[in-house]
């Protein structure tokens, strides 16, 4: 009795398995999708873009800036007080620079195509001439320096894009 039950059970499984493996005329071919693009990593831009705190203060010309934070993708320097001067560095791995360019344009800064050390990018100056964003493309990555003179800085500081460009030039020159 047990043997008959085992044989019937085995034959049932064999029948079920063979029914699963057949191909009918109504089967559609499998469509293969193109695998997603893997970002090409650009060169290592280092902590704070390979620029020292003293260089940020000297080039920024914004008085006593202090580094407020530093992490694996960026640094931020600020002067004391609310609405004060600031300088920010950020590195973006595998992120499209055009998205940043679109965001900068959406807040009223007109992006201008530039080149820094043979690398393409953009800079965008706000209408008040007090804020500049400057980004440089590195393969599928990019980095950005941003400078704000703040609300209460003097008007004798010149174009902040000239200063962010000097910071970007240091970063490109020191790429690892």
């Amino acid at each position: 009795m047990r043997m008959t039950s085992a044989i019937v059970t085995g034959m049932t499984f064999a029948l079920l398995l063979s029914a699963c493996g057949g191909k009918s005329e109504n089967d559609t071919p499998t469509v293969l999708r193109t695998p997603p693009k893997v970002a090409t990593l650009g060169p290592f831009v280092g902590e704070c873009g390979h620029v020292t705190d003293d260089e940020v203060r000297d080039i920024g010309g914004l008085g006593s800036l202090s580094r407020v934070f530093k992490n694996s993708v960026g640094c931020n320097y600020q002067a004391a007080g609310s609405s004060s001067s600031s300088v920010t560095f950020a590195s973006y791995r595998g992120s499209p620079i055009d998205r940043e360019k679109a965001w900068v344009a959406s807040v009223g800064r007109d992006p201008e195509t530039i080149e820094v050390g043979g690398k393409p990018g953009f800079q965008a100056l706000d209408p008040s001439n007090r804020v500049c964003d400057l980004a440089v493309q590195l393969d599928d990555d990019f980095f950005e320096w941003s400078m704000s003179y703040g609300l209460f800085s003097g008007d004798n500081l010149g174009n902040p894009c000239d200063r962010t460009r000097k910071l970007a030039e240091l970063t490109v020159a020191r790429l690892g």
Side-chain angles (χ1 to χ4, degrees), residues 98-159:
D98 287 336
R99 184 178 349 179
E100 185 70 11
K101 192 178 203 178
W103 179 85
V104 165
S106 76
V107 295
R109 299 179 202 135
D110 187 25
E112 169 191 345
T113 300
I114 62 165
E115 193 173 285
V116 176
K119 309 285 185 191
F122 74 86
Q123 69 181 24
L125 181 63
D126 81 322
S128 72
N129 295 330
R130 300 179 80 69
V131 177
C132 180
D133 297 300
L134 191 147
V136 176
Q137 185 78 52
L138 303 170
D139 296 325
D140 288 334
D141 305 339
F142 74 95
F143 70 84
E144 180 177 30
W145 280 100
S146 182
M147 183 175 295
S148 170
Y149 287 165
L151 293 178
F152 305 110
S153 296
D155 291 330
N156 59 350
L157 293 173
N159 183 336

Side-chain angles (χ1 to χ4, degrees), residues 50-172:
H50 288 303
V51 178
T52 67
D53 294 354
D54 287 336
E55 289 170 325
V56 170
R57 279 189 280 278
D58 292 344
I59 292 169
L62 301 173
S64 58
L65 289 175
S66 297
R67 187 174 52 199
V68 177
F69 74 83
K70 174 176 83 169
N71 61 29
S72 62
V73 295
C75 299
N76 179 259
Y77 303 83
Q78 292 187 348
S82 62
S83 302
S84 61
S85 304
S86 66
V87 177
T88 303
F89 171 81
S91 173
Y92 299 88
R93 286 282 199 196
S95 183
I97 194 171
D98 287 336
R99 184 178 349 179
E100 185 70 11
K101 192 178 203 178
W103 179 85
V104 165
S106 76
V107 295
R109 299 179 202 135
D110 187 25
E112 169 191 345
T113 300
I114 62 165
E115 193 173 285
V116 176
K119 309 285 185 191
F122 74 86
Q123 69 181 24
L125 181 63
D126 81 322
S128 72
N129 295 330
R130 300 179 80 69
V131 177
C132 180
D133 297 300
L134 191 147
V136 176
Q137 185 78 52
L138 303 170
D139 296 325
D140 288 334
D141 305 339
F142 74 95
F143 70 84
E144 180 177 30
W145 280 100
S146 182
M147 183 175 295
S148 170
Y149 287 165
L151 293 178
F152 305 110
S153 296
D155 291 330
N156 59 350
L157 293 173
N159 183 336
C161 288
D162 295 339
R163 296 170 187 273
T164 54
R165 183 175 186 93
K166 288 179 183 175
L167 292 167
E169 287 170 349
L170 282 177
T171 298
V172 170

Side-chain angles (χ1 to χ4, degrees), residues 12-49:
T12 304
F13 280 127
L15 184 60
L16 286 173
L17 289 175
S18 67
C20 293
K23 186 173 186 176
S24 72
E25 294 175 19
N26 295 335
D27 285 352
T28 57
T30 303
V31 177
L32 298 177
R33 295 182 184 182
T34 304
K37 181 182 178 232
V38 176
T40 304
L41 296 180
F44 178 61
V45 295
E47 289 185 345
C48 303

